[in-house]
Amino acid sequence: MFFASDNAGPAHPSIMDALTTANQGYAMGYGADPLMDEVRTQIRDLFAAPEAAVYLIINGTAANSVLLGTMSQPWQTIFCSDVAHIHEDECNAPEFYTGAKLTLVPSADGKMDPADLRTKILAEENRGVHGPQRGPLSLTQVTEKGTLYTLDEMKALTDVAQAFGMQTHLDGARFANALVALDCSPAELTWKAGIDAVSFGGTKNGALGVEACVIFDPALAWEFELRRKRGGHLLSKHRYLSAQMQAYLADGLWLTLARSANDRCAQLARGLRGHNAVEILFPPQANIIFFQMARREHKRMLDGGAVYYVMNGDPATGDPDAPLIGRLVTDWSMTAEGVSQFLDLLHGSPG
Amino acid sequence: MFFASDNAGPAHPSIMDALTTANQGYAMGYGADPLMDEVRTQIRDLFAAPEAAVYLIINGTAANSVLLGTMSQPWQTIFCSDVAHIHEDECNAPEFYTGAKLTLVPSADGKMDPADLRTKILAEENRGVHGPQRGPLSLTQVTEKGTLYTLDEMKALTDVAQAFGMQTHLDGARFANALVALDCSPAELTWKAGIDAVSFGGTKNGALGVEACVIFDPALAWEFELRRKRGGHLLSKHRYLSAQMQAYLADGLWLTLARSANDRCAQLARGLRGHNAVEILFPPQANIIFFQMARREHKRMLDGGAVYYVMNGDPATGDPDAPLIGRLVTDWSMTAEGVSQFLDLLHGSPG
Amino acid sequence: MFFASDNAGPAHPSIMDALTTANQGYAMGYGADPLMDEVRTQIRDLFAAPEAAVYLIINGTAANSVLLGTMSQPWQTIFCSDVAHIHEDECNAPEFYTGAKLTLVPSADGKMDPADLRTKILAEENRGVHGPQRGPLSLTQVTEKGTLYTLDEMKALTDVAQAFGMQTHLDGARFANALVALDCSPAELTWKAGIDAVSFGGTKNGALGVEACVIFDPALAWEFELRRKRGGHLLSKHRYLSAQMQAYLADGLWLTLARSANDRCAQLARGLRGHNAVEILFPPQANIIFFQMARREHKRMLDGGAVYYVMNGDPATGDPDAPLIGRLVTDWSMTAEGVSQFLDLLHGSPG
Amino acid sequence: MFFASDNAGPAHPSIMDALTTANQGYAMGYGADPLMDEVRTQIRDLFAAPEAAVYLIINGTAANSVLLGTMSQPWQTIFCSDVAHIHEDECNAPEFYTGAKLTLVPSADGKMDPADLRTKILAEENRGVHGPQRGPLSLTQVTEKGTLYTLDEMKALTDVAQAFGMQTHLDGARFANALVALDCSPAELTWKAGIDAVSFGGTKNGALGVEACVIFDPALAWEFELRRKRGGHLLSKHRYLSAQMQAYLADGLWLTLARSANDRCAQLARGLRGHNAVEILFPPQANIIFFQMARREHKRMLDGGAVYYVMNGDPATGDPDAPLIGRLVTDWSMTAEGVSQFLDLLHGSPG
């Protein structure tokens, strides 16, 4: 009953095995290992992007920051949703790597609206040298609220950006979960939807720690390499990143894992919907659910062994009837039995 | 015959096993895993520093940069040798994380002299607000030239720094190799020698990728944590860093591995000294040798299957008699047979 | 009829004369000129702050940025109104000098509400190392909308900040205009209202270009000096800054000039209120008025020789009935006749 | 007898008058004043560079830093002499504005040698992504030691830079002094000698505070404007910068002033050479002299009312026979009588 985060579960055994396999003899460091050549080919094939620049990096904050650094100038502002991970959860890393600021676009459910985006862009563009200049747009898919942009919705946003000459970045920490939910191809979820560069996550979906940075315009490749090194993110024993990503992609493992996580989330959602004291806050379209119920119910669940974050108050102290918001995140390693156990505990309550 | 770098060899099987062992069930992320508590205790015990702040980070450039960021101000200059890794091999990462500049102290053999350090400090201190202010001193042990400071030599340098109110940092990417060569304790090699914070390397000595940052003044701990996060260096699935370091330190594995690497280096040195066309450039005191011989000899070795860097010219093209400098680095995984093979190839030459 | 900005008018003759007087013989540079000693005393006396650190700087963006740099850490966020000059009109200079980000507090009329501030602070404080940390609060007085915080309103905001351990900065580009409107002392408008440091403007009120940075905690003085120098804002021929500020403060010139500017603004406001097609948007409490009228009326005024900014559209093109917002700013150099000329032109219209 | 610096003398009366003349009525701010149009034309004509981007900035540190920021990337290193003002006297401002580091080229007399420059460039270019990349070359003319590069010497250095694809910057804080000494045209001293951008000083030669930044490739203009604003160096009441520069250039005033300063320096040099206890250290080719004599002699001069910096020791305390280095700087405002007074005082000594 551990639903705190998809970075708290174990790595998939195939990925562990790949590390062991890779751990033979000598391999040139810093990305010159032969496995990286294989990964580059895998990703270019997956994305139908034979020219794409492909790099590996250890975590999502770094992947987003180095990519945005490569796409931005320090006198610009980056447009993102007001709940974007790059805004809320990276302790100014994007600002550190870019020098730019962030302009927050409202997003009730984690999703920006093209009209709001356009309004914000226009509000930033009328002060000449005095105001920040327009930098890239950054989307997140799956959003931080567990919702998804449809491909058309993505395209509507990137169309706005492109009309202003802006580049577009996709924070794909949960790219796999989005892809299987939307039932589309990596190309459709990125460059065909107007995305110029993507942080392609592995860590939250079964890896120990690896993200791919995929840049569709190879002209930015060398700058990315320099920025990665300058940020201390070029690993010497790079083969252990390569091995993770190679195994993650082999035989569609990444899709299998994401489908399982999403299935567990759907199972949770069905169970929550069947409980009349629970309100689901946003449509749970991938592997995250935000739900509201009384503090006493949260306390009962946590006391009963469930583990998840309560977002807006202490579940142990305060008005027992006050509604509080919980967040449940599923990952590849959860079983249907584990979810049932959680739901049984929930429904066992007097409501 | 692979002597290119100690980051090109495999990780030790015990460390691989530790990853597998750690890969069970759920673990809180971001350093809140129980293994990290164990590592913290291990390192505090090793360093006889019960209050020390201890953090793990993925590689040496990041460890140095986040530590120096925590110890510096952007209007200062950091004193280091003119061949320091932080100067030559980190693509401005120290400048990025600190905002400071580096003042280079001459070092014929990788080692600074206290008088030179003092001269450089005095040269930087006489311009009031106009010039940079004095920041920390950064030493490297094992130095980039494969030499070692004695404990007295370290103390003489840190005494100079402390006389000017400066803090001191130790780049210990090869800390284990230095320790076994100097036959001293971690405390003697750090705070007893006047060091305030150390990058304690694991990557080059059998880990996949992990360094400990040890700060003897715990007042700097929170700032370090914020700077680590802002640099994108706080890992979500932190248990895989903890597991590496835990196993690295358990049962003195780290010392065993370093001794083996140093022994192979000593074996190499003996063999090189027995060759009248080879000149060893600096006393090889740990696991690195710089040596000079004619281009034709380098070419013959490389053609014969030896792998190492020639530092100052293309071994394949140019005057065959011209002397060129080669660098040999040994690691834990090398066998006496492998070294003998290299030496046999060398001595098989007409000289 | 030139109401575009209070940085477009001439400098006061007394300040010009002071430059000429200062231009005699030699004077040590970089703030060591004797006039600066006089200015320091003037300002400490004015603010009843005998220990305050006092520095001069050439313009308001620099004054704000160097002060905020001295008060912030790069992992923090600075709280300011969503129309603050530091957010909208400084092209990321505050971010450049601080490394921090800005959190925008809503402000319909340029003024933040303590409850909104508190909400924003709480929203930023619950993510530990993952989110930005709380940095200083920055207020603007006169606000960018021409409104004023009462002293009680200021205190209510700084009380919120102080309850969270935050420092407070005042952007006083129009400090004089605020002071005379509020009829209070400099101490009441700053440290007695909970302000820790103030950008005390001269440029917009009759100087050529000079702002004082006043820091009530002298412990920050040396860091400010280093940050000023590092930003390229320490002037060699500093006497010309000192002379401006000395003359600006002598004999209450600064108050006289601000009163005159405010009087002209009040005259404008009376005239605008007497016109039934004009809507004044915020209470014009100092020397700025925002007003709304039909595009055709703006066009008529501008064609008739009035000069001011229309904020939200092209006055020359579009629906002639559409309401557009104009901004009028008065300065010391305007005459009652000039204002009357503007109002006559306005009222001459059929409405 | 005030020879401490050329930033300690008064501004020329014509430049003061120009300020007064400019102080009439309203003028658009931020460089949109009509005087700036005139200055732009003056400078383009002077430099025979009709396309050049021309901007004004308040001081030399800012001019150098914003220009170098525009010409550099944060993963690069800027090549300059080891006594360059950008290295020694700007408190890391160049590093702040560029993110880059500085590589110091030896310079016994303030002048770099092309072979040394080439050696340093080659030393920085062989580490791929690991080391800093090659950034611009920055020359200073007049050098910090009072010497001059001939035009051929400049060309030899910029040829080296251009062979490596590097841009070139000229710190021309004393551009006028160099120009009249070399008896060449501004074009010959800049783009014809391979310079891409120049900090063209006014402050040290009779202005209150103004430098022109001249960029021969107009493609960099907009980036310069954004960097200037982001650094807080775009002045609102810009007309007072324009007026200074306009008057400085009008009727060759700048050349007249520089000739006078250089003449006084030559007079000083003649007098110093006639004293057998004085050693002139570098050929004084413009308006700066470094000379060595016994501490007792320095003390006698300073006690007698001469004002100048003793660079390497306290003139009042220590071995009276020890040789110390003094620096004399002349400016436009010095008279032949003042210099004679200094020399009389010197020669009045028993020697």
Side-chain angles (χ1 to χ4, degrees), chain D residues 116-128:
Chain D
D116 289 339
L117 172 61
R118 188 178 157 78
T119 299
K120 284 287 186 181
I121 294 172
L122 288 171
E124 293 294 348
E125 79 157 333
N126 56 8
R127 293 190 299 277

Side-chain angles (χ1 to χ4, degrees), chain B residues 139-194:
Chain B
L139 303 180
T140 311
Q141 184 79 303
V142 181
T143 75
E144 292 79 1
K145 297 300 187 193
T147 54
L148 285 170
Y149 294 105
T150 66
L151 297 183
D152 284 347
E153 287 171 340
M154 287 184 73
K155 193 67 171 54
L157 287 165
T158 62
D159 280 351
V160 171
Q162 284 165 9
F164 288 99
M166 295 159 48
Q167 289 193 285
T168 55
H169 163 255
L170 180 64
D171 178 351
R174 297 184 177 95
F175 190 92
N177 304 92
L179 191 87
V180 300
L182 290 167
D183 194 19
C184 65
S185 73
E188 287 168 335
L189 193 52
T190 55
W191 61 269
K192 290 187 179 176

Side-chain angles (χ1 to χ4, degrees), chain C residues 98-160:
Chain C
T98 65
K101 67 196 301 176
L102 307 183
T103 294
L104 306 181
V105 181
S107 65
D109 58 356
K111 294 166 61 177
M112 292 178 272
D113 181 82
D116 289 338
L117 172 61
R118 188 178 158 77
T119 299
K120 284 286 184 182
I121 294 172
L122 288 170
E124 293 293 348
E125 79 157 335
N126 58 8
R127 292 189 298 277
V129 76
H130 300 286
Q133 308 296 302
R134 294 189 299 263
L137 168 66
S138 179
L139 303 180
T140 311
Q141 185 80 301
V142 181
T143 75
E144 293 79 1
K145 297 299 187 193
T147 54
L148 285 169
Y149 294 104
T150 66
L151 297 182
D152 285 347
E153 287 170 341
M154 286 183 73
K155 192 67 172 53
L157 287 164
T158 62
D159 280 351
V160 171

Side-chain angles (χ1 to χ4, degrees), chain B residues 87-88 91-92 101 127 130, chain D residues 87-88 91 101 127 130:
Chain B
H87 170 57
E88 294 213 321
C91 195
N92 297 5
K101 66 195 304 175
R127 293 190 298 277
H130 301 285
Chain D
H87 169 58
E88 294 212 323
C91 194
K101 67 194 303 175
R127 293 190 299 277
H130 300 286

Side-chain angles (χ1 to χ4, degrees), chain A residues 162-178:
Chain A
Q162 284 164 9
F164 288 99
M166 295 159 47
Q167 289 193 284
T168 55
H169 164 255
L170 180 65
D171 178 350
R174 296 184 177 95
F175 190 92
N177 303 91

